[in-house]
């Protein structure tokens, strides 16, 4: 082809956007051969491989894109959306090994510390419920207290404990959402999509998403994944009524709520509250 990277990607996107993924793939492949750190090319090629049903290649490319540019939400979102498909095809995930909770290497120096206001915070990425999730960690100390390394290390261990609770309690969170009638709301949103017949079955379609109603509790639980998480430990409790506050935004695959997230908070003693839709 003998073209520069930008023109290669642009031409590849023309084929990708028209649905001709096999013709698009070589353009992204050549772009990667020119610059093997070009995150977008990995994302677009991973997208093509997914549509071409070459699932292991797709997952590998999507995760390479994430590793190269963690600020680009597209690869992360597309990976998460298709993770159940990748798992059902026995694909191996490098991110799942590197970013699982047991392997998290949160360091004291990762925290931005402001002793004048007793605040420390950092951002991490972690695999929860098989999905790559951006997570913020924040500590607010009591008045006149200050941070030292040993204190922050203790908080790091506590953060990991709360992350493990989230990982191990998908069913509890799903049950709380169901009790708040989120399945009913999901079905209402799904019914606002285009109705059609596929293989003799009435379904609702929105973009790439296909909704089959009614939604069972098992299907709803399986569809859940974290969009983002914030965990705050507040020792002075001036801002919150709870020492621990976990704020999670949860999405579904298929996307029942058309880009909106369900907002869930978890307070002391892991009390779960549902706060409706956000976004």
């Amino acid at each position: 082809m003998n073209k520069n990277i930008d023109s290669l990607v642009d031409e590849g996107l023309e084929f990708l956007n028209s649905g001709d993924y096999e013709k698009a793939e070589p353009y992204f492949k050549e772009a990667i051969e020119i610059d093997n750190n070009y995150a977008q090319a990995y994302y677009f090629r991973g997208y093509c491989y997914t549509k071409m049903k070459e699932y292991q290649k797709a997952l590998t490319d999507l995760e390479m894109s994430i590793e190269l540019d963690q600020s680009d939400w597209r690869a992360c979102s597309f990976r998460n959306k298709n993770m159940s498909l990748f798992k059902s095809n026995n694909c191996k995930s490098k991110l799942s090994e590197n970013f699982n909770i047991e392997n998290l290497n949160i360091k004291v120096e990762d925290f931005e510390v402001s002793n004048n206001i007793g605040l420390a915070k950092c951002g991490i990425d972690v695999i929860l419920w098989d999905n790559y999730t951006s997570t913020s960690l924040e500590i607010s100390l009591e008045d006149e207290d200050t941070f030292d390394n040993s204190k922050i290390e203790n908080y790091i261990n506590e953060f990991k404990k709360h992350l493990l609770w989230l990982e191990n309690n998908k069913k509890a969170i799903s049950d709380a959402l169901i009790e708040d009638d989120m399945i009913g709301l999901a079905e209402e949103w799904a019914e606002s999509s285009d109705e059609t017949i596929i293989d003799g079955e009435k379904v609702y379609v929105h973009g790439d998403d296909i909704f089959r109603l009614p939604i069972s509790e098992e299907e709803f639980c399986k569809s859940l994944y974290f969009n983002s998480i914030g965990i705050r430990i507040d020792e002075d409790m001036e801002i919150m009524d709870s020492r621990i506050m976990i704020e999670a935004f949860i999405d579904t695959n298929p996307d029942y709520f058309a880009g909106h997230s369900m907002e869930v908070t978890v307070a002391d003693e892991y009390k779960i509250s549902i706060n409706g839709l956000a976004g």
Side-chain angles (χ1 to χ4, degrees), residues 25-268:
E25 184 269 342
Y27 290 91
F28 304 127
K29 179 181 179 181
E30 185 168 347
I32 291 167
E33 289 172 351
I34 295 172
D35 181 0
N36 62 5
N37 290 314
Y38 192 22
Q40 286 189 52
Y42 284 103
Y43 162 62
F44 292 132
R45 190 173 70 172
Y47 187 101
C48 290
Y49 283 145
T50 304
K51 299 299 183 180
M52 294 161 62
K53 300 184 179 180
E54 296 188 39
Y55 297 121
Q56 183 61 68
K57 289 183 178 180
L59 181 58
T60 299
D61 271 5
L62 292 169
E63 293 190 342
M64 177 61 77
S65 178
I66 292 168
E67 287 196 55
L68 290 171
D69 184 4
Q70 296 180 16
S71 67
D72 189 347
W73 60 269
R74 294 173 302 174
C76 178
S77 177
F78 192 74
R79 175 199 180 276
N80 288 350
K81 184 176 178 64
N82 289 280
M83 197 60 207
S84 59
L85 179 63
F86 298 144
K87 283 188 68 179
S88 67
N89 283 274
N90 300 314
C91 298
K92 293 183 178 180
S93 167
K94 182 180 177 182
L95 284 185
S96 293
E97 296 174 2
N98 294 344
F99 288 88
N100 66 34
I101 298 168
E102 288 79 6
N103 292 337
L104 274 183
N105 184 25
I106 310 172
K107 301 183 290 294
V108 171
E109 52 266 31
D110 293 335
F111 282 81
E112 179 184 342
V113 176
S114 302
N115 271 318
N116 59 321
I117 57 173
L119 187 69
K121 57 185 178 180
C122 81
I124 63 168
D125 298 300
V126 62
I127 296 291
L128 289 168
W129 301 352
D130 294 317
N131 289 290
Y132 185 81
T133 307
S134 295
T135 303
S136 65
L137 310 176
E138 192 168 308
I139 310 160
S140 178
L141 293 182
E142 294 181 294
D143 289 343
E144 299 181 2
D145 201 356
T146 57
F147 290 98
D148 58 42
N149 286 359
S150 62
K151 186 176 294 185
I152 293 179
E153 285 173 358
N154 289 334
Y155 283 114
I156 288 172
N157 292 328
E158 186 173 353
F159 282 129
K160 286 186 176 181
K161 182 185 78 170
H162 299 318
L163 288 168
L164 278 170
W165 184 89
L166 290 171
E167 173 68 11
N168 295 327
N169 284 274
K170 184 176 186 179
K171 180 66 165 55
I173 293 171
S174 177
D175 287 346
L177 290 165
I178 291 168
E179 186 176 348
D180 203 59
D181 198 29
M182 280 297 176
I183 288 182
L185 186 59
E187 290 176 341
E188 287 181 23
W189 279 65
E191 286 176 335
S192 68
S193 304
D194 295 329
E195 182 181 325
T196 189
I197 302 294
I198 296 179
D199 296 331
E201 178 187 12
K202 183 174 77 171
V203 298
Y204 298 88
V205 177
H206 183 266
D208 291 334
D209 288 310
I210 299 174
F211 309 120
R212 291 176 170 83
L213 305 183
I215 304 167
S216 70
E217 292 186 3
E218 181 181 359
E219 288 170 336
F220 182 74
C221 182
K222 185 178 178 181
S223 77
L224 302 177
Y225 67 92
F226 289 112
N227 180 306
S228 63
I229 299 169
I231 304 177
R232 181 183 173 98
I233 299 174
D234 192 354
E235 296 291 7
D236 60 17
M237 296 179 64
E238 288 184 357
I239 298 175
M240 308 184 302
D241 294 329
S242 171
R243 177 179 176 274
I244 306 299
M245 182 60 70
I246 302 171
E247 184 177 42
F249 293 92
I250 297 177
D251 292 348
T252 64
N253 178 31
D255 185 6
Y256 296 120
F257 300 111
H260 294 73
S261 300
M262 294 172 286
E263 185 178 356
V264 176
T265 55
V266 183
D268 287 342

